[in-house]
Amino acid sequence: MTEEPRWLTDREQRAWQAYRRMSLLLDAEVSRDLARRSGLSDPDYDVLSTLSAAPEHRRRVSELAERMLWSRSRLSHHLTRMQQRGLVEREGCERDGRGAVVALTEEGLRTLEAAAPPHVASVRENFVDLLSPAQIEAFAEIGETVAAHLTGRNTCERSSRRAG
């Protein structure tokens, strides 16, 4: 016997639709601003900023892919394009000799440092400065709650796939 779905209430539907519309519009606007002001795509910026936060501006390719929630194949293709532009470089992994490490180049760091101020300005203009401190706090809590749920579930799913 199939259980009847728990349909969304009007209030829940309103919240879900508002989130979806906001997410699509905000992502598109911030992406356009980033490309227009720096010439970087969202994926470019994500790779550069993730590497800049890593020790010595380096990460194993597999760790970077997992952190960004990308397949290794997708990341590898993107890194090739970024490498051709001088933003990153690949190195052998000294620890085990099997994996590859991706490193932020000086050009990549300069590019990120130039892109960050206008990117933050766009995030402020289109999101942060529109909200009250209480709304910012509520939004952070909501995002952390949902991310923790999804991260926990995805970790379990990855573990069961590896075991199976």
Side-chain angles (χ1 to χ4, degrees):
M1 185 167 160
T2 305
E3 211 175 295
E4 182 69 24
R6 284 184 49 217
W7 298 110
L8 300 179
T9 66
D10 288 346
R11 188 175 186 188
E12 292 165 339
Q13 183 70 18
R14 179 176 167 236
W16 176 244
Q17 291 300 322
Y19 162 76
R20 293 285 296 154
R21 182 134 174 88
M22 178 205 68
S23 177
L24 293 169
L25 292 169
L26 182 60
D27 285 349
E29 186 66 25
V30 171
S31 294
R32 273 192 299 272
D33 285 349
L34 181 64
R36 187 177 69 249
R37 295 173 181 175
S38 71
L40 294 174
S41 66
D42 277 339
D44 292 339
Y45 192 87
D46 289 345
V47 168
L48 295 176
S49 62
T50 301
L51 288 174
S52 76
E56 299 179 16
H57 304 299
R58 288 171 165 66
R59 255 193 211 283
R60 289 180 61 111
V61 172
S62 58
E63 292 169 0
L64 184 60
E66 187 169 320
R67 186 169 189 87
M68 295 180 63
L69 304 175
W70 286 13
S71 70
R72 287 186 62 177
S73 175
R74 176 183 178 197
L75 179 61
S76 180
H77 289 296
H78 196 80
L79 290 175
T80 297
R81 292 188 295 274
M82 292 182 75
Q83 192 169 6
Q84 290 167 347
R85 293 164 41 211
L87 301 173
V88 299
E89 59 189 11
R90 293 184 220 216
E91 306 167 345
C93 184
E94 295 175 9
R95 285 186 290 181
D96 65 15
R98 293 179 299 144
V101 172
V102 62
L104 188 61
T105 63
E106 287 298 319
E107 178 64 22
L109 186 57
R110 279 192 300 274
T111 299
L112 177 63
E113 289 170 345
H119 179 62
V120 169
S122 178
V123 171
R124 283 198 159 284
E125 175 187 342
N126 295 298
F127 180 67
V128 173
D129 291 347
L130 302 175
L131 304 176
S132 70
Q135 289 172 316
I136 291 288
E137 184 62 30
F139 200 90
E141 288 178 18
I142 292 164
E144 290 164 354
T145 298
V146 173
H149 166 76
L150 295 172
T151 302
R153 185 179 72 195
N154 289 338
T155 301
C156 294
E157 287 174 4
R158 279 195 300 270
S159 296
S160 67
R161 277 194 300 248
R162 285 184 196 135

